[in-house]
Amino acid sequence: KQWYQRRVAITAGDHEFLKARFAHRVGERLPKFEKILTKPFLIGDKPCYVDFLMYEILDHLRCFLPEKFEGHENIKAYMARFEDLPNLKDWFQSDKYKEGNYINAPMAAWHGKE
C-alpha cells in the first residue's frame, strides 16, 4: 500500500489487520536479534548508548507482543542483563515502570482510548 492508503487504514480503525501484520513482521525479525544478542551487550561486556536504544525497542515490542518473545532466550537474557544494571535496577522495579506510562508519555492513548 502507498503511505496514504496505510494512513487511511489507521485512521479508519483497521487496527486488528494492522496489528496482525505488525506481529507477523516482528516474528520474522526477532530471530535476527536472537543471533546478534549473544554477548553481554551489543559491542562487548559493557553497555553503550546503543544498548539503551536496543532495549527500548525490545521493551516496547515485549509490552505489545509478549508471545513473540517465547523461545528467544538470548533476547530475554540480554534484557535481563540490562534490567540488572546497578543504576537502572531501581527504575525497572518502580511502579512507574510497571504501569507502562513511560511509553509515549501519559498523554498518548492506545486505539484512541483514554
Side-chain angles (χ1 to χ4, degrees):
K1 290 183 177 181
Q2 296 295 325
W3 70 268
Y4 54 85
Q5 290 172 314
R6 285 192 296 265
R7 182 75 177 148
V8 170
I10 291 169
T11 56
D14 195 1
H15 299 291
E16 290 307 314
F17 170 74
L18 294 172
K19 183 179 178 184
R21 290 212 38 198
F22 179 73
H24 177 74
R25 294 185 75 181
V26 167
E28 291 177 338
R29 285 165 175 77
L30 282 181
K32 295 175 184 178
F33 289 129
E34 181 73 8
K35 289 180 183 177
I36 293 169
L37 298 174
T38 57
K39 297 183 236 174
F41 295 99
L42 285 171
I43 60 171
D45 293 333
K46 295 183 180 180
C48 66
Y49 79 94
V50 180
D51 289 293
F52 285 83
L53 302 173
M54 175 64 83
Y55 180 86
E56 184 176 26
I57 290 166
L58 293 171
D59 188 41
H60 289 189
L61 292 173
R62 181 177 60 179
C63 284
F64 294 114
L65 300 165
E67 68 280 1
K68 294 293 179 182
F69 285 74
E70 293 173 14
H72 295 290
E73 300 308 315
N74 288 344
I75 294 173
K76 290 179 184 178
Y78 171 81
M79 294 181 79
R81 282 190 297 275
F82 193 87
E83 292 165 0
D84 203 38
L85 289 170
N87 293 336
L88 298 177
K89 195 172 190 171
D90 289 342
W91 162 250
F92 288 117
Q93 294 174 352
S94 73
D95 290 338
K96 190 169 187 172
Y97 172 78
K98 291 175 185 174
E99 290 171 7
N101 289 338
Y102 64 95
I103 297 177
N104 297 326
M107 72 289 266
W110 182 247
H111 292 248
K113 298 176 187 171
E114 294 187 30

